[in-house]
Amino acid sequence: MQDGVPARRVAVPLRISQRAATARAGASVKALCGETMGTRWSVRLVVEESRELASIVAEIASALDGVIAEMSTWEAGSAISRINAAPAGSWHALPANFYRVLEYALAVARDTEGAFDPTVGRLVALWGFGAGAEVQCVPTAEAVAAARVDCGWARIELDKPRRAALQPGGVRLDLSSVAKGFAVDRVAAVVREAGVESFLVEIGGELRGEGVKPDGMPWWVALERPRGSASGAAPIADIVVALNGLAVATSGSAEHFFSIGGRTFSHTIDPRTGSPVAHDLVSVSVLHRECMHADALATALSVLGPDAGMEHALRLGLAARFVSAVPGGYRERLTPQLAAMLA
């Protein structure tokens, strides 16, 4: 620690991807970027200086447009919006990617006993967040109870041979806590299919990296943490991770919220209660091979809270960081898998 500021820590994967672990002579880092899902995407890739990138940009844009067309509740004509508006008892054939994401989301819901739930859309909107929200307010207990009737991951049935899902009636799917991570994975797949082995993909703070830069250095990224957590009575040092064959996602309640009457309400809704989480956990970062997994699991752990979340992370063997608010600052807890990565 210097002048009251904690020293930066470095985390290195225990297993290095061999496919792209060496620098490439004659290559350089080129940057691409654009807008998607109400945020920005960026890709840094290691290619020959003379390589034309217009086709890669077009493929990335097409892949991201495809995710939006299938899984964005902000688009009235998307596949997910059509299912949300469909009558009770109707079955819907899903695009392959949509089915994969929904199937995984339901698996996480089952594994967390509903702490993560892709059917929570009506509750999210009721509290004034996400698509369909009218105003941020504290709804009545009766309104919460009514919205919860239309929620419940176990109500969704899947027909795998037909790749179809049942709308049981009133369910409003919301894949916002997993679709962005999946979009990162899709962009990574596009870049790999273009023959690029070393790259860093980011969409709205969620990242996935492969290989190394031309100088042999990895893609260094800092784990997100709450504002002000590097100061105060309990400062937290940055953790900078070498993203070689890894993705990272962070879920937190400190950045998106509203306050009424001196009380703060997080955008993270606990499907089991129908209300925003009320514990002191403000940030969870998860490292995983796939960003879709990191995205969903970070949200699930945020809902579970500091103790149950840590227990679940340990059970799954996740590399994760938990940051909780304490008097005068923040407290950090690392899983053994992440602690073992610290150099």
Side-chain angles (χ1 to χ4, degrees):
M1 181 178 293
Q2 184 176 7
D3 298 328
V5 179
R8 175 175 290 187
R9 295 161 293 171
V10 173
V12 179
L14 300 181
R15 295 181 180 179
I16 301 297
S17 172
Q18 295 302 311
R19 182 178 60 187
T22 57
R24 292 181 59 185
S28 62
V29 176
K30 292 194 175 184
L32 310 174
C33 63
E35 297 183 356
T36 188
M37 302 178 187
T39 185
R40 293 190 63 79
W41 65 264
S42 69
V43 177
R44 298 178 66 195
L45 60 172
V46 177
V47 293
E48 293 76 12
E49 187 65 37
S50 60
R51 177 153 183 182
E52 172 56 51
L53 301 178
S55 61
I56 295 181
V57 173
E59 289 294 328
I60 290 173
S62 177
L64 291 172
D65 288 346
V67 175
I68 292 171
E70 294 177 11
M71 294 175 253
S72 173
T73 54
W74 295 91
E75 299 293 327
S78 68
I80 194 170
S81 293
R82 292 196 299 271
I83 292 174
N84 287 346
S90 57
W91 281 90
H92 303 267
L94 305 182
N97 288 334
F98 188 174
Y99 186 91
R100 177 188 171 193
V101 173
L102 179 58
E103 184 179 45
Y104 175 68
L106 292 173
V108 176
R110 181 172 56 251
D111 195 36
T112 59
E113 298 182 343
F116 180 91
D117 191 338
T119 70
V120 77
R122 198 169 296 279
L123 281 168
V124 171
L126 180 67
W127 283 91
F129 299 103
E134 296 181 2
V135 63
Q136 291 180 328
C137 64
V138 179
T140 65
E142 292 76 16
V144 171
R148 292 187 67 193
V149 170
D150 291 330
C151 301
W153 65 271
R155 299 181 64 209
I156 299 294
E157 296 181 35
L158 297 181
D159 184 332
K160 194 162 190 173
R162 291 195 299 146
R163 209 169 63 206
L166 172 70
Q167 166 57 275
V171 165
R172 186 182 295 178
L173 292 172
D174 184 341
L175 297 175
S176 59
S177 56
V178 64
K180 189 166 66 171
F182 174 76
V184 170
D185 293 332
R186 280 289 297 121
V187 173
V190 167
V191 174
R192 282 199 309 270
E193 289 164 5
V196 180
E197 294 186 331
S198 296
F199 55 84
L200 179 68
V201 177
E202 177 181 8
I203 300 179
E206 299 185 1
L207 304 103
R208 179 168 174 171
E210 297 281 354
V212 294
K213 293 180 283 187
D215 60 3
M217 294 297 291
W219 305 103
W220 294 108
V221 300
L223 298 186
E224 290 184 32
R225 54 176 171 76
R227 293 191 184 98
S229 60
S231 60
I236 295 175
D238 277 330
I239 295 180
V240 182
V241 182
L243 282 194
N244 179 285
L246 281 177
V248 61
T250 298
S251 177
S253 60
E255 305 300 327
H256 305 288
F257 59 89
F258 67 88
S259 298
I260 293 179
R263 294 182 62 192
T264 297
F265 300 91
S266 168
H267 79 293
T268 303
I269 306 298
D270 187 339
R272 301 166 300 178
T273 65
S275 300
V277 295
H279 48 64
D280 61 5
L281 185 60
V282 295
S283 175
V284 180
S285 295
V286 173
L287 294 163
H288 199 282
R289 183 69 186 86
E290 293 187 50
C291 201
M292 176 177 73
H293 291 246
D295 191 6
L297 290 169
T299 299
L301 299 180
S302 292
V303 174
L304 285 168
D307 297 324
M310 176 61 77
E311 291 175 5
H312 191 68
L314 294 175
R315 187 161 54 248
L316 296 181
L318 298 176
R321 179 176 72 170
F322 295 74
V323 178
S324 299
V326 297
Y330 295 89
R331 179 187 65 170
E332 174 192 80
R333 296 170 69 195
L334 308 180
T335 62
Q337 289 75 16
L338 180 54
M341 293 171 58
L342 296 180

